[in-house]
Amino acid sequence: MLFLGKQQVAAEQNLANYTPLPERKVVSGKQNGFHFTAENCIGCHACETACSEKNCLPAETGFRKVGYVEGGQFPNALRVYTSIACNHCSNPVCLQGCPTSAYSRDEEFGAIIQDPNICIGCGYCTWVCPYGAPQMNHEKGQVEKCDMCIDRLRKGQKPACAAACLGKALDFGEIAEPMTKQLPPEFPTIELTEPNIRFHKVRGGKTMPNQMVRSDSLLNFDAENKRPLSTHENPLLAFTILTQISVGAFATLFLTGMAEGVAATILLAVIFTMQSIAMLISTLHLGKPLKAYRAIKGMRLSPISHEVIFVAGFHALLGGYLLMAVVPLLPMLHLPAPPMAELMLTAKPIIGWGATIIGSLSIFAMSKVYLLKNRPLWNHWSSVASFTGTSLTAGVALAGMAISMGGGKQGGLNSLLLVIIFAIILLMRGRESLYNKLKSGSKEEQISFKIVEKFYKKFAIMAYSSDILLFSTICIIASIPTGRHSYMLWVAAFTFAIIGRVLERAIFFAAVEPTAVASGTFWKNRLYEQTT
Amino acid sequence: MAVNSKDIQQWKTATCGYCSTGCEIEFGIDSAGEVISARGKESADVNRGKLCLKGQLSFEQLNATGRASEPLLKKDGKFAPVGWRVAMQQAAGRIKTIQAKYGADSFAVVSTGQLFTEEFYTLGKLTRGIIGTNSYDGNTTLCMASSVTGYKRSFGSDGPPACYEDLDHTDCLIAFGSNLPECHPVIYWRLMEALEKKRFPIIVVDPRVTPFAQMADIHIAIRPGTDLAFINALCHLILKDGLQDKEYIEKNCTGFAEFSQSLKKYTPEAASAICGVDAKTIRKVAKIYGGAVSAMSIWTMGINQSTHGSDGVSAINNLSLITGNVGKKGGGCLSITGQCNAMGTREFSSCSGLPGYRLLESKEDREFMAKFWNIDGSILPKKRGMVLTDMFKAIEDGKIKGMWIIATNPVTSMPDANRVIEALKKLDLLIVQDAYEDVETAEYADIFLPASLWAEKQGTFTNTERRVSLTKQIRQPYKNSKPDLWIFNQMAKQLDQTGKVKFPEKASHVFNEMARLSAGRVCDYSGMSHEKLEAEGATQWPSPKDGSSQARLYADGKFHHADGKAKLMPLPYSCQFEQTDEEYPLMLNTGRVVDQFHTRTRTGKIANLNKFTPEPFVEINPATAEKAGIVQMDFVQITSRRASTVARAIVTPRVSPSSVFMPMHFFNSTNRLTKHLVDKYSGQPAYKQCAVRIEKTEKSAAKKLAEKARNY
């Protein structure tokens, strides 16, 4: 024992033993990172504020987050603070996910650097990071994040946050040791990204209470509060659904051989317009729409780049196909046929096949964007089922509507009915499986489940009812003889399919709960935001 | 690649204007002359390069919304800008009218702990020597008055004996009602630095599980308001176990026999029944504290803000005295002050006495000051007049008709705030002088005087450990605001056109006058000057002519009572504060959060601070919350015997099932509930103990209130 009084009473007082940590050294050419000692953190926000001051951050963003979990019973209560920024991971999912290659790894200190000037503000890195490190700056339309204060490192200084720490909790330096087994409570998974942060202990004696509660846990919110179904991801809702309908409708027309004739061409034009709108919406959704072209730079790794390439490819092929569909109609309009009309007509089926295949692939590329381990609501096969199912219900029904309006062949329509029924079963099975998983899953999954139960149950029932109505309508179409008004039933089928899919997708965006490090009492506290 | 860095052309130093830790800040100034950055000064002994979050962003208060730009005069219920000449003429004329009609004391001056010492001194000279009112006090009565009286009762004079450096030498630290990590983060960092070098036990006495309580080796989760019984039991055990410093007591203290007699009944078991702390733990603490070679005591509002605050301070002094810790390196007792220059007002403001710890009650001191100031000695009252907490009652009674409130916000900070608002409405004249025109008290003003912020002028602060530091002007005053010193000087000119009393214009000249006055006094400034402070850095008083400075007081065992000794006093515990009952079953405790300062006039407008606590909250124990059907983030109505308010529920085991905690910073919030019950020696209100009940509340009204706080 270090303190020795007159009577040497210390030894028998069993005071908490405390072993100070050596100061960490920054080593150039090695992986550096943050070292955090939760026991010493007093939640004083000095680190967070030093970061805001250094980086001139607006109050809405913040590269670092001080939060806490607490447990125990008074007076043996324990509030464990954490202060987490970017962990400069060895497996940086942000870098891999970025469609613009705005991310890079700095060789000198091992920082994961993001260049806001390259960023187009798609926000995908803010989705994939399990720690919520990248921050969307809505004012500037770009993402920004912790850069390890690399300018300070080069001057031999520690990052502003570590230099500001008043509790001896946050330090910075070489990451030489492996990750400790015992993480601070509520720290998100480390398997996904291999974060370069290390946690340390300085005190013996004090044990952690069994149950630690987050102040921002949505598990325990008051149902009185309203939560809108509409989110700021509405543009993505529109984009995904419209694209999926376009792909489904085109593939149906093409594969059933009904993409001919005036009515079909008009429908093609409708699909093309729809798809153009979808792409416009998704572009305008970006922080910097004019720089959207950069979104293919990450084609080697980024699911967003893949999505963009496939969807843009489908769009181009769809446009080409429409053009070729128009060519044979030109003489009817007393217009001269364009040169190479013959060749174009030969190429038409190739382009049609191309659009169908690329379009289908785009559906999968699109679902891959959402299959994120840190967003468990999305990370389920039902997401793929939903995306495909949208094509196979609403998309197919749209084609069916047009075909029946144009008085097309009934054989084709019957096969469409089978496809739709198959899709409904797929959707329902997916939803059932998802709900079962959520109910008994991780904390985030349970929160998503609860959000649906408390706020969106009505919408979920409406979506389910729409599917039942769609199913019934399909059965009716199948059972009654084709009449002059059978297209009315197809209109109904399409409407039900659309309602079901839109509601389902809205819930998909509104109920997702990402993994996140714990927040403080108010700032970035999801429960507080929910009740404000 | 873009790196966020600021275009800083030069760095200028100023001492932080929030709390009294006394951190020195270097402000970064860009090519346009704007202050855009702040960093801790590496060579400053206090903070050694460190700053808390408020200090880091302190430059943002300079251009925060609500900064006052023009003197305003209220006509038909509406403020209109009038220019300084008219405002000062109006103010002076109306002060004279009121005093002529109702007597000198019918005009009250309410000061603060936020100005420079030079300004306090000047205001004191103006108030005592020219205005001649004895209704003169500051908001320091709300924070440190109990410590001042406690020191005076024990040692014969005010003045915190210990210093931060003692943390490096102590063998035991006991903290009473102090949440150091949140309220004084940089002092906490100094403690951590000390702990890294040498391990010593930390004992924290606090009814709430604060961050400090968590890191302590022993947390005494004491029942609110029972600290006297606990401290008496410690003294009882120390004497019983023979851990006292007999030689020290003999040589330096009086009243030991009576004192030790009074401790007889404070057995650990008896104290345990009062404090709710088990006797074994009390024994353990007594052993550790009494057994340590040097043991240090610190305290803050947990002691001061109670009905027996002054007794509490004296009791801590007793504890330090009997163990011979006063004046000892690594020992001593240190009140950790809240406002940047509360110490300055104690030394030179003439609020509770006369400059340099002189007494109104002393004929010699009065005559000396009258001569020094060139005033008629009969104008000085023979004893101290009303304290701040008496003044609002005096307005109700019609004894005070006019008031000048300087850099404080009583409608938010006074207990039973509704009553304060009603009182202010009764005044014939209210002058409010502040750097922010949206300070809530300004609503009731007739004349508003826009003051400059600390970094827009020059002067000195004294920190908790008696360290005087110089702040030089780092930028021009905001718009048409003026330094408080200028305002006081102008007021003096308006009120006394004879020019008999000299009011130096430059702060450095005022300082020299104070230094002359303080020669040979407890707070001896005579070895200091602005030039010297600038060249040599912040200096602790006493600093006599030879330029030396003293880290701690009473190292020589010489105290300021007539006999030169310290007094040991019997301080029996009695329960005088508001009690809970069936209707109001919970004890409300109040305090600060790390990210806000006082009534938020500054921090509330700095978005990167305000985001951490944007609206009032109430901490409720999970068991209590469950019984009331309250969950996290619910709006809760808190009702005391006086009024009710609404706050967010934060459900946490940090508070006991029988108490709730609320931050003190918000307007129309906590202080609607608190009771105007004061310490009989200091007049300081017992903010920390009042009975309330809680219930879940209907949302819409509550939401509106919360929104108002957020959008402040």
Side-chain angles (χ1 to χ4, degrees):
Chain A
M1 215 35 171
L2 290 161
F3 105 92
L4 293 173
K6 279 182 262 186
Q7 313 219 331
Q8 309 240 331
V9 282
E12 62 202 61
Q13 301 306 332
N14 55 45
L15 301 177
N17 71 60
Y18 178 93
T19 328
L21 293 170
E23 201 183 322
R24 297 280 156 176
K25 289 214 165 55
V26 180
V27 183
S28 177
K30 289 274 173 62
Q31 178 66 53
N32 292 275
F34 292 107
H35 294 264
F36 185 68
T37 310
E39 290 159 310
N40 273 355
C41 183
I42 50 173
C44 76
H45 303 285
C47 50
E48 227 173 336
T49 310
C51 175
S52 301
E53 198 277 328
K54 198 266 172 187
N55 294 302
C56 309
L57 298 182
E60 299 74 45
T61 54
F63 297 163
R64 179 167 282 284
K65 182 159 97 172
V66 173
Y68 62 84
V69 294
E70 62 183 2
Q73 285 195 336
F74 182 88
N76 297 312
L78 186 64
R79 185 174 279 197
V80 180
Y81 292 96
T82 51
S83 170
I84 306 290
C86 174
N87 293 317
H88 301 278
C89 306
S90 293
N91 182 25
V93 286
C94 52
L95 182 146
Q96 293 149 13
C98 178
T100 63
S101 298
Y103 281 81
S104 58
R105 180 185 288 282
D106 155 75
E107 293 302 325
E108 199 178 353
F109 301 104
I112 301 296
I113 302 281
Q114 184 261 3
D115 191 339
N117 295 333
I118 299 175
C119 172
I120 57 171
C122 76
Y124 191 57
C125 52
T126 67
W127 282 9
V128 299
C129 174
Y131 318 107
Q135 299 284 305
M136 179 64 90
N137 183 331
H138 289 282
E139 213 171 287
K140 293 188 185 163
Q142 63 196 26
V143 168
E144 297 165 359
K145 78 164 197 69
C146 162
D147 61 0
M148 267 190 194
C149 284
I150 201 150
D151 53 330
R152 286 177 61 98
L153 293 179
R154 285 181 191 137
K155 283 189 264 177
Q157 297 168 317
K158 294 217 169 159
C161 53
C165 179
L166 297 173
K168 305 262 170 200
L170 185 66
D171 200 354
F172 182 88
E174 191 193 349
I175 301 284
E177 62 274 67
M179 185 59 115
T180 38
K181 286 247 161 56
Q182 206 188 349
L183 300 172
E186 297 289 319
F187 190 77
T189 173
I190 55 164
E191 277 78 27
L192 192 56
T193 66
E194 297 165 49
N196 284 311
I197 182 171
R198 292 295 176 268
F199 299 103
H200 303 279
K201 285 182 82 70
V202 285
R203 272 166 229 263
K206 281 205 174 178
T207 48
M208 196 82 84
N210 288 334
Q211 217 190 346
M212 298 300 270
V213 184
R214 289 172 75 124
S215 75
D216 57 356
S217 175
L218 290 177
L219 266 179
N220 201 11
F221 53 72
D222 195 331
E224 264 178 50
N225 295 297
K226 296 212 162 47
R227 189 179 164 111
L229 187 60
S230 166
T231 65
H232 62 262
E233 309 295 5
N234 283 350
L236 294 180
L237 184 154
F239 167 73
T240 53
I241 288 193
L242 289 176
T243 304
Q244 286 150 14
I245 293 176
S246 299
V247 170
F250 175 79
T252 309
L253 286 184
F254 180 73
L255 293 177
T256 51
M258 297 192 190
E260 307 296 333
V262 181
T265 308
I266 291 171
L267 180 63
L268 280 176
V270 169
I271 296 172
F272 181 74
T273 313
M274 208 161 71
Q275 184 54 28
S276 306
I277 292 170
M279 292 187 63
L280 187 67
I281 290 173
S282 81
T283 307
L284 292 177
H285 174 60
L286 298 172
K288 299 176 189 164
L290 294 177
K291 311 278 179 182
Y293 62 90
R294 289 185 188 150
I296 53 170
K297 275 168 73 184
M299 59 189 289
R300 209 167 60 81
L301 291 170
S302 170
I304 294 280
S305 294
H306 300 159
E307 181 192 35
V308 169
I309 290 166
F310 281 114
V311 173
F314 167 68
H315 186 237
L317 290 166
L318 181 63
Y321 193 87
L322 173 64
L323 194 66
M324 285 164 202
V326 171
V327 170
L329 302 181
L330 292 179
M332 283 165 58
L333 301 169
H334 308 290
L335 290 167
M340 297 200 297
E342 287 294 308
L343 184 66
M344 279 170 74
L345 288 178
T346 334
K348 196 177 160 196
I350 300 169
I351 292 178
W353 276 110
T356 305
I357 292 164
I358 299 289
S360 310
L361 288 174
S362 77
I363 305 293
F364 289 102
M366 214 180 269
S367 23
K368 217 178 142 235
V369 166
Y370 295 88
L371 294 176
L372 302 174
K373 287 203 178 91
N374 61 319
R375 298 192 160 216
L377 174 71
W378 293 352
N379 192 29
H380 186 255
W381 68 267
S382 63
S383 300
V384 188
S386 165
F387 284 26
T388 321
T390 306
S391 293
L392 298 185
T393 54
V396 171
L398 178 63
M401 200 168 89
I403 294 166
S404 64
M405 277 175 180
K409 289 179 281 178
Q410 282 312 299
L413 281 175
N414 281 338
S415 58
L416 298 194
L417 296 176
L418 285 175
V419 169
I420 293 175
I421 286 173
F422 164 75
I424 295 172
I425 293 168
L426 183 73
L427 283 164
M428 288 189 166
R429 290 279 302 133
R431 213 147 46 197
E432 193 189 334
S433 160
L434 175 65
Y435 278 34
N436 285 336
K437 180 185 159 231
L438 293 182
K439 230 183 205 167
S440 53
S442 68
K443 230 172 231 179
E444 289 78 19
E445 287 171 320
Q446 288 180 42
I447 289 170
S448 289
F449 183 78
K450 226 171 153 179
I451 290 174
V452 177
E453 279 277 292
K454 284 214 166 164
F455 301 106
Y456 308 135
K457 201 169 186 177
K458 165 172 92 185
F459 300 113
I461 292 170
M462 277 163 67
Y464 184 78
S465 312
S466 298
D467 283 347
I468 299 290
L469 289 170
L470 172 62
F471 184 81
S472 316
T473 313
I474 297 302
C475 291
I476 296 169
I477 296 175
S479 58
I480 60 165
T482 325
R484 264 179 58 208
H485 298 293
S486 69
Y487 77 88
M488 294 287 280
L489 287 167
W490 278 104
V491 170
F494 177 66
T495 312
F496 293 137
I498 280 279
I499 292 172
R501 299 292 71 74
V502 169
L503 287 172
E504 184 187 80
R505 195 63 48 84
I507 295 172
F508 175 88
F509 282 112
V512 70
E513 175 72 7
T515 63
V517 291
S519 77
T521 309
F522 291 103
W523 192 59
K524 290 208 178 171
N525 183 313
R526 287 168 61 83
L527 180 60
Y528 175 60
E529 285 162 5
Q530 165 75 64
T531 55
T532 303
Chain B
M1 218 259 331
V3 167
N4 292 312
S5 59
K6 297 178 175 184
D7 153 48
I8 292 163
Q9 298 297 317
Q10 57 168 328
W11 295 91
K12 285 187 181 175
T13 305
T15 303
C16 185
Y18 284 120
C19 82
S20 79
T21 301
C23 301
E24 290 182 56
I25 307 178
E26 289 178 322
F27 287 99
I29 294 160
D30 70 4
S31 41
E34 276 300 317
V35 189
I36 55 163
S37 183
R39 66 181 187 198
K41 188 175 171 181
E42 289 286 344
S43 63
D45 184 69
V46 169
N47 54 312
R48 303 169 189 185
K50 292 283 180 177
L51 288 178
C52 77
L53 75 167
K54 294 190 287 293
Q56 287 168 2
L57 295 180
S58 54
F59 60 95
E60 288 193 17
Q61 53 181 298
L62 294 168
N63 291 330
T65 56
R67 270 307 298 272
S69 53
E70 290 294 334
L72 305 171
L73 190 66
K74 200 179 258 170
K75 257 189 199 155
D76 308 323
K78 266 193 178 163
F79 277 126
V82 286
W84 277 103
R85 207 174 50 85
V86 176
M88 297 306 280
Q89 274 171 355
Q90 280 277 338
R94 287 162 80 173
I95 293 171
K96 277 183 177 164
T97 312
I98 286 175
Q99 286 191 310
K101 201 167 165 193
Y102 301 104
D105 293 350
S106 66
F107 183 76
V109 178
V110 175
S111 171
T112 172
Q114 308 273 320
L115 307 181
F116 288 131
T117 312
E118 293 81 351
E119 295 171 328
F120 285 132
Y121 172 73
T122 304
L123 176 64
K125 195 197 282 188
L126 169 65
T127 307
R128 293 286 181 207
I130 304 238
I131 299 176
T133 176
N134 201 13
S135 307
Y136 172 39
D137 196 19
N139 67 5
T140 42
T141 289
L142 308 182
C143 65
M144 270 295 152
S146 294
S147 286
V148 173
T149 48
Y151 283 139
K152 281 183 182 167
R153 290 166 70 201
S154 296
F155 307 138
S157 170
D158 182 20
C163 60
Y164 303 156
E165 192 209 338
D166 285 322
L167 295 169
D168 292 330
H169 304 292
T170 193
D171 297 301
C172 170
L173 178 77
I174 184 161
F176 298 92
S178 161
N179 184 9
L180 210 54
E182 281 198 83
C183 303
H184 301 91
V186 173
I187 304 182
Y188 176 80
W189 173 75
R190 290 284 301 268
L191 170 64
M192 287 306 285
E193 285 278 288
L195 278 174
E196 301 261 288
K197 284 183 226 130
K198 184 181 97 165
R199 187 71 189 139
F200 54 88
I202 312 273
I203 300 150
V204 172
V205 186
D206 201 306
R208 176 165 164 251
V209 187
T210 61
F212 204 14
Q214 275 190 193
M215 69 76 69
D217 297 295
I218 301 173
H219 169 213
I220 306 290
I222 194 167
R223 205 170 277 154
T226 62
D227 37 80
L228 271 177
F230 176 73
I231 301 168
N232 282 341
L234 292 183
C235 292
H236 170 103
L237 285 164
I238 285 169
L239 295 183
K240 193 172 150 240
D241 298 347
L243 293 170
Q244 76 272 39
D245 188 334
K246 286 184 190 128
E247 200 185 318
Y248 185 90
I249 298 170
E250 197 126 312
K251 223 174 115 194
N252 303 304
C253 306
T254 55
F256 179 73
E258 209 188 325
F259 168 67
S260 62
Q261 183 64 31
S262 77
L263 294 176
K264 285 242 161 75
K265 62 176 179 182
Y266 291 98
T267 61
E269 285 71 23
S272 168
I274 299 169
C275 309
V277 182
D278 70 281
K280 208 176 118 205
T281 310
I282 301 177
R283 283 205 173 85
K284 187 166 158 182
V285 172
K287 251 190 179 172
I288 295 174
Y289 182 93
V293 175
S294 61
M296 188 175 176
S297 315
I298 60 169
W299 69 93
T300 314
M301 296 309 142
I303 292 290
N304 289 346
Q305 291 177 337
S306 53
T307 50
H308 51 278
S310 170
D311 282 356
V313 173
S314 291
I316 296 170
N317 295 341
N318 282 344
L319 184 66
S320 302
L321 284 168
I322 60 166
T323 46
N325 273 308
V326 179
K328 189 192 271 180
K329 202 174 185 179
C333 30
L334 185 63
S335 50
I336 312 275
T337 311
Q339 298 189 77
C340 54
N341 203 20
M343 282 296 294
T345 132
R346 284 151 72 171
E347 296 151 13
F348 286 101
S349 74
S350 314
C351 273
S352 63
L354 288 165
Y357 289 137
R358 287 180 173 82
L359 302 172
L360 282 165
E361 290 77 6
S362 150
K363 188 166 175 252
E364 191 191 327
D365 287 351
R366 284 201 307 275
E367 278 169 4
F368 176 86
M369 283 314 302
K371 202 167 156 226
F372 191 89
W373 281 344
N374 194 24
I375 56 170
D376 172 10
S378 65
I379 199 174
L380 295 175
K382 293 188 180 55
K383 64 181 226 254
R384 187 186 180 183
M386 261 178 259
V387 296
L388 178 64
T389 40
D390 298 332
M391 287 183 185
F392 298 94
K393 174 85 173 39
I395 299 174
E396 286 172 5
D397 297 344
K399 286 182 195 147
I400 289 178
K401 292 289 185 184
M403 191 177 253
W404 181 8
I405 297 178
I406 301 151
T408 185
N409 190 13
V411 304
T412 305
S413 62
M414 285 288 292
D416 200 356
N418 277 357
R419 197 171 154 188
V420 172
I421 291 173
E422 290 311 310
L424 289 182
K425 286 185 192 162
K426 284 207 178 103
L427 288 171
D428 291 353
L429 169 67
L430 176 62
I431 306 168
V432 170
Q433 175 174 333
D434 206 285
Y436 295 94
E437 59 192 12
D438 57 359
V439 58
E440 289 97 358
T441 303
E443 199 184 321
Y444 308 96
D446 302 292
I447 299 171
F448 180 86
L449 305 176
S452 305
L453 274 173
W454 93 118
E456 296 165 344
K457 50 191 191 180
Q458 178 165 329
T460 55
F461 290 145
T462 309
N463 79 348
T464 290
E465 53 163 3
R466 296 168 281 104
R467 193 179 294 273
V468 179
S469 62
L470 179 69
T471 288
K472 289 196 72 177
Q473 188 184 24
I474 61 166
R475 76 151 205 193
Q476 288 305 308
Y478 181 79
K479 294 190 179 164
N480 200 14
S481 70
K482 295 284 183 190
D484 299 82
L485 181 63
W486 184 90
I487 299 174
F488 299 146
N489 284 342
Q490 292 306 307
M491 189 69 98
K493 270 187 204 157
Q494 290 289 341
L495 288 166
D496 172 40
Q497 277 153 12
T498 64
K500 219 172 61 174
V501 188
K502 293 280 172 282
F503 284 88
E505 269 174 29
K506 283 180 83 173
S508 58
H509 296 166
V510 181
F511 189 94
N512 294 341
E513 191 174 316
M514 289 161 21
R516 276 209 313 281
L517 251 181
S518 68
R521 308 291 305 177
V522 183
C523 54
D524 197 334
Y525 271 35
S526 53
M528 297 186 267
S529 68
H530 277 201
E531 295 71 33
K532 195 155 172 261
L533 289 170
E534 190 179 3
E536 291 171 20
T539 307
Q540 280 174 292
W541 64 250
S543 171
K545 280 215 171 56
D546 62 11
S548 65
S549 105
Q550 220 169 289
R552 46 192 75 76
L553 301 179
Y554 312 126
D556 54 2
K558 270 196 207 142
F559 293 90
H560 299 288
H561 283 300
D563 55 8
K565 292 193 174 185
K567 254 186 206 158
L568 290 170
M569 277 170 286
L571 299 161
Y573 163 78
S574 71
C575 182
Q576 298 156 11
F577 49 91
E578 194 180 28
Q579 295 298 303
T580 53
D581 61 12
E582 253 172 47
E583 204 180 336
Y584 302 95
L586 298 166
M587 189 61 89
L588 169 67
N589 179 14
T590 68
R592 291 187 36 186
V593 293
V594 68
D595 38 88
Q596 297 283 9
F597 187 75
H598 281 197
T599 63
R600 292 168 78 233
T601 48
R602 292 183 274 173
T603 50
K605 291 151 191 166
I606 298 173
N608 265 320
L609 295 179
N610 196 45
K611 67 185 182 186
F612 296 125
T613 315
E615 53 180 278
F617 64 85
V618 54
E619 287 186 352
I620 309 170
N621 184 279
T624 317
E626 203 187 331
K627 244 192 277 166
I630 293 164
V631 298
Q632 179 90 340
M633 294 295 167
D634 270 349
F635 285 105
V636 174
Q637 177 162 315
I638 308 105
T639 309
S640 77
R641 295 186 175 102
R642 291 148 294 282
S644 70
T645 188
V646 170
R648 289 272 184 182
I650 301 301
V651 179
T652 168
R654 296 220 286 182
V655 291
S656 85
S658 59
S659 69
V660 292
F661 172 86
M662 286 180 79
M664 60 159 214
H665 309 283
F666 294 85
F667 174 60
N668 227 343
S669 179
T670 312
N671 282 327
R672 287 166 61 88
L673 309 171
T674 48
K675 186 170 165 68
H676 189 120
L677 201 60
V678 301
D679 178 271
K680 66 177 171 188
Y681 296 98
S682 66
Q684 182 161 352
Y687 285 106
K688 297 205 179 263
Q689 300 101 26
C690 93
V692 295
R693 66 162 182 265
I694 54 166
E695 56 227 315
K696 196 169 162 161
T697 186
E698 201 259 319
K699 298 208 55 163
S700 55
K703 240 184 169 162
K704 243 183 236 160
L705 258 176
E707 228 160 71
K708 212 173 148 196
R710 274 203 304 278
N711 298 333
Y712 176 65

